[in-house]
Amino acid sequence: MTQAGQRNFEKGTAAGFLIALGIVYGDIGTSPLYTMQSLVENQGGLASVSENFILGSISLIIWTLTLITTVKYVWLALKADNHHEGGIFSLYTLVRKMAKWLIIPALIGGATLLSDGALTPAVTVTTAVEGLKSVPALQEIYSNQALVVATTLVILTVLFGIQRFGTGFVGKVFGPVMLVWFSFLGISGLLNSLTNLAVFKAINPYYAVHLLLSPENHRGIFILGSIFLATTGAEALYSDMGHVGRGNIYLSWPFVKVCILLSYFGQGAWILAHRDSGIELNPFFASIPQFLSVFVVILATLAAIIASQALISGSFTLVSEAMRLKIFPTFKITYPGQSLGQLYIPVINWTLWFITCGIVLHFQTSAHMEAAYGLAITITMLMTTILLTYFLLQRGVKPVLTYLLMAFFALIEIVFFIASAVKFLHGGYVVVIIAAIIIGIMFIWLKGNQITFKYIKSLNLEDFKEQLGRLRLDSNYPLYQNNVVYLTNRMDGHMIDHSILYSILDKRPKKAEVYWFVKVNVTDDPYTLEYKVDMLDTDYIVQVELYLGFRRRQEVPRYLRTIVQDLLESGRLPKQHQDYSVTPGRMVGDFRFVVLEERLSNAHQMKVFDRFILQTKAMIKRITATPVRWFGLQFSEVTTEVVPLVLSDVTNLEIHERIAENATQN
């Protein structure tokens, strides 16, 4: 990236501050809606809380946001940018060469973050809609939880339905809405806290430790499962770094943190003043004057939608990065906005919608959803800690300091995980099952690639150079196409997949003027756009390796047009004169792309596990994007050939000729 781009990434601006509010903090910014409610309900209601409990709870929230969100993510993780991109897969690409097994925490962390993307919209929107119960005119209507569920489902359906239009047309209002939201959190929280200034004593970590050890705390260490809800958006903050720049996060986080903490102080003060009132409403909505209740519910709903939008968009980005790293099936991607960051994956969008609506219908209330919330993200944070450890070692930080620092974070997150593990029986199993399915798909895809590379037979293109040269001049065969292009991910130097040469020479000799063999390499740099050419000292064989960043669209025909022009201008490729063309002076012939579809057959000598992986991968591929769409070949001449998956260790079966009986008698 240019020096100007680097300065923009590092520099915070007023406009960037506003954009960061709308994109980065949706999840963590809506946590005051449900965190304190979860703490009070799990303690047994307002009548069961004491001043020490409230002070301890707020203190735990303060130091969780300080240690996990501020120190680990804002101060440390944001330094681990992969060409200005953040997130667990970007972090993995930085350290993957240090140890092969690091793919394991990357897979687990990515899967749990995706499963969290299905639960977050459900819990945030449901909580906001339940705020309608605090509006006097609507209390009786929305006392029926079925109406809350129906309203939530409508909002979620509209939210997922507009994804295909991109976030650009609503992005301009995200920042201002969140600025109003955070300002309201801070001002309302400050005004409520002024009624009981004792709540500010919670800044002292003594109250946090005291509550964890106090018998007053009915849940013991498991209270941390509710405390963790306050910081679930920290991982999303890191993932969205590439959208807003590191400088804007540094600039905006202090404001966001102060506003969030003031909201918790205010809720704490209200709870202490109403412990004996018998009110069982959400402390956030109950602490707001009734004449503002409609405004607050609308604002909270907008904030919840923005938080959900951020998670949905983040899921698209996460999946697209996984696809380009070849650890996830390929699905159709569209780019409805003006930037690569605004992408849309229909299959992922509607799968998330189906799961999210299913979660709402299953749990019914936000309280039940909160009981399941947070378990998956604790696992993601642990996986990020493992990868960050290797990142610090890679950057030359002293091993002793690295291990001590990361062990400190790991210990905190392990405690949070243990505290959240009880959620498994209270609904957490839902997100664990979703994460397990995603991990299974990723494992099958990754292992399937490894098995295929293990069994596939490769041939040296140099050995067939003379045959290809004769075929292109052989008058006994009609011209198949001026340029025949084979796309392959199995090309190493001059070694190429056996099935490609079999398709050209054996299946039906394909006479062409130029044979192209194209491999796409996905680079760690998100926006790389380079190529390398090897013509094997000929003018009729072209090996092309495209180097595309993991955020680049893999539209091969567009790149080939540029490469052909470069080769023609340098004289390495002979001109292909066209007698008939709408383009005057055209010197490039027609192209045909040949896509080989491998089928597993006669694989009885393959290991049972290997065969199961490949067969399962083949089933998944039936619903994924075809190579034609993935490589942007929709408007090109394409031939798809079905070929067997050739196994290098499978020999011809022994079969003997049966001798006729009369011949035996003679």
Side-chain angles (χ1 to χ4, degrees), residues 267-283:
Q267 290 183 56
W270 181 89
I271 291 170
L272 292 178
H274 295 82
R275 279 180 291 171
D276 302 323
S277 65
I279 299 174
E280 292 300 334
L281 288 174
N282 183 323

Side-chain angles (χ1 to χ4, degrees), residues 651-659:
T651 57
N652 292 331
L653 297 175
E654 292 186 7
I655 186 168
H656 302 283
E657 181 183 2
R658 183 171 183 176
I659 302 173

Side-chain angles (χ1 to χ4, degrees), residues 27 91 201 332 361 432 579 645:
D27 191 7
L91 177 58
K201 293 191 294 184
K332 177 186 175 184
L361 290 170
V432 171
D579 291 326
L645 186 61

